[in-house]
Amino acid sequence: FFRRATERAHARLPRRCARTEGSAGVKLARKTTPSNGARAHVPLHDRAYTAIGTALMTGRLAPGQSVTIRGLATALGISPTPIREAVRRLIAEGTLALLANRRLRVPTMTAAELEELREIRLALEGLATDLAVKRMTADDRAALERIDAAIVKARGRSDVRRMMAEIQRFHHAVYRLAGRPALMRLIEAQWRRSGPWIGELFTGYAARERGQLRRRFLDALARGDHAEACATMVEDISAALAYLIERARARALKEIQ
């Protein structure tokens, strides 16, 4: 199924892409308390790991951007020691890179690396979506509709940062319904790698697509058409990454000219 869905997605990919450059700001959310109020039971290094990871997923840290332990500690209101532990974990999974001067940098990716990332995300998120749509209830679909409404509202206000956060929330709300915690952790790791690039999507791809694929996904769920819902999610992921791949190729070509 995933092979067929991916082929369908690739057939619809945009062939021309805008070449304007995007950017992302630096502002980490201090609110890392779990929704159940269990803050006292969450180690500081786990809170730091979650907060930095969320900043990466939602594009608050951009590709190639440098950060420091002290800067992260100040932004999060957490002492440097747990930040160091969180950073070690992020370096190990490849979502942060340690430079020779001990500064940290959000890694950049070549077109080939983005292509590999797309293959991984299609496999993981395609599987999660396939499992999730079979378990969804009417309440689950209503919750997704509310998140979609929040995305539309943010678009109307041209609030790109809120849109990025809500889009991440939408996708992860779907994947969590699969009921596979280990799979969810793998997906989150890939989102920490691709999240810094989200800002570039809003210079061309997102403005053109304007949530049409997400709307098709929700409409397919409402009809009970699980195959179409899965295919649409695969197409959304594939098209977005294809846009980033083309931009990476364009940058590489410009550098050698």
Side-chain angles (χ1 to χ4, degrees), residues 9-238:
H10 287 178
R12 302 179 193 174
L13 296 180
R15 295 188 179 183
R16 294 185 180 180
C17 302
R19 296 186 61 173
T20 55
E21 294 298 329
S23 61
V26 191
K27 187 176 181 181
L28 305 186
R30 287 173 176 254
K31 185 178 180 180
T32 57
T33 307
S35 58
N36 62 4
R39 177 171 180 169
H41 303 291
V42 180
L44 282 176
H45 61 83
D46 283 341
R47 287 170 49 202
Y49 177 79
T50 298
I52 300 168
T54 298
L56 288 161
M57 285 186 208
T58 56
R60 290 175 181 263
L61 295 171
Q65 182 174 340
S66 294
V67 294
T68 63
I69 296 290
R70 186 177 299 278
L72 291 171
T74 300
L76 295 175
I78 297 176
S79 66
T81 299
I83 295 291
R84 289 191 185 92
E85 176 59 30
V87 162
R88 277 195 289 268
R89 292 167 63 183
L90 292 164
I91 291 171
E93 67 182 32
T95 51
L96 283 179
L98 181 64
L99 304 179
N101 60 3
R102 306 302 295 173
R103 289 179 68 87
L104 303 163
R105 188 179 68 179
V106 180
T108 58
M109 281 190 273
T110 64
E113 289 168 332
L114 286 166
E115 181 68 51
E116 181 187 36
L117 177 63
R118 179 172 65 167
E119 293 170 354
I120 295 169
R121 283 193 53 185
L122 285 173
L124 296 176
E125 293 169 52
L127 173 59
T129 303
D130 187 41
L131 294 169
V133 297
K134 298 171 184 176
R135 297 162 54 100
M136 279 190 193
T137 65
D139 287 344
D140 294 330
R141 293 195 300 272
L144 292 174
E145 289 281 2
R146 288 192 293 273
I147 301 174
D148 181 61
I151 295 170
V152 172
K153 184 177 180 180
R155 181 187 297 119
R157 298 195 307 263
S158 298
D159 188 347
V160 173
R161 179 166 290 178
R162 172 53 58 185
M163 282 181 64
M164 290 192 288
E166 294 295 344
I167 288 171
Q168 181 261 338
R169 190 160 72 99
F170 182 92
H171 278 264
H172 288 210
V174 173
Y175 305 148
R176 287 191 185 95
L177 292 172
R180 299 293 192 274
L183 176 59
M184 192 67 218
R185 288 192 292 273
L186 292 172
I187 290 171
E188 288 175 342
Q190 300 312 309
W191 269 69
R192 285 189 286 273
R193 293 180 65 209
S194 59
W197 298 82
I198 290 177
E200 292 201 21
L201 294 176
F202 288 88
T203 63
Y205 172 77
R208 181 177 63 243
E209 196 273 327
R210 294 185 65 81
Q212 296 176 57
L213 290 171
R214 191 174 56 255
R215 186 66 258 167
R216 277 174 44 196
F217 172 78
L218 291 169
D219 290 344
L221 289 180
R223 295 193 308 270
D225 190 342
H226 294 169
E228 176 62 19
C230 288
T232 303
M233 182 67 83
V234 166
E235 181 179 353
D236 187 20
I237 298 162
S238 187

Side-chain angles (χ1 to χ4, degrees), residues 109-111 114 197 243-253:
M109 281 190 273
T110 64
L114 286 166
W197 298 82
Y243 178 82
L244 295 178
I245 291 165
E246 288 304 314
R247 285 174 62 84
R249 287 174 178 157
R251 281 194 300 272
L253 182 60

